[in-house]
Amino acid sequence: MQTTSEPALRIRTLPLARARGEYRILDVRDDLSRVTRANGEIVGYVDRIDVAGDTAFRARRYIATERRFVELPEVWSADDAVDTLRWS
């Protein structure tokens, strides 16, 4: 008798989407979030990175007119990374 192994369903315990000020944050992966305005316009991305054995966060602002991303300084919290997008 053959049995097949189905992939295990992984249930998230964190919210998939949240807001910070006028921005909406959607988790794309466990280590990557998309930041948009309320109208759906992409502002940028925040990703989790390892720095010196600790976790830091890096924001990348999307410049639509140039079709490119600009990396912003690394910070120690995801909320601070979103704030760098808000204030840069």
Side-chain angles (χ1 to χ4, degrees), residues 1 3-4 14 33 35 39 41 58 60 65 70 75-76:
M1 177 177 183
T3 60
T4 58
L14 297 174
S33 298
V35 181
N39 65 2
E41 178 186 356
R58 176 183 50 212
R60 293 177 287 141
T65 57
V70 174
V75 293
W76 297 109

Side-chain angles (χ1 to χ4, degrees), residues 16-87:
L16 292 176
R18 58 198 176 282
R20 182 145 178 95
E22 69 275 13
Y23 289 159
R24 305 296 173 257
I25 304 152
L26 175 68
D27 294 336
V28 178
R29 297 187 316 240
D30 289 339
D31 63 343
L32 180 69
S33 298
R34 180 183 303 124
V35 181
T36 63
R37 289 190 170 81
N39 65 2
E41 178 186 356
I42 295 175
V43 176
Y45 288 87
V46 172
D47 55 345
R48 187 177 62 226
I49 57 175
D50 292 325
V51 174
D54 206 353
T55 300
F57 296 87
R58 176 183 50 212
R60 293 177 287 141
R61 173 172 284 289
Y62 181 62
I63 309 296
T65 57
E66 299 175 14
R67 296 184 180 175
R68 69 182 183 103
F69 289 92
V70 174
E71 284 188 17
L72 300 174
E74 297 164 2
V75 293
W76 297 109
S77 81
D79 288 340
D80 288 347
V82 173
D83 286 343
T84 62
L85 289 170
R86 290 174 68 191
W87 307 119

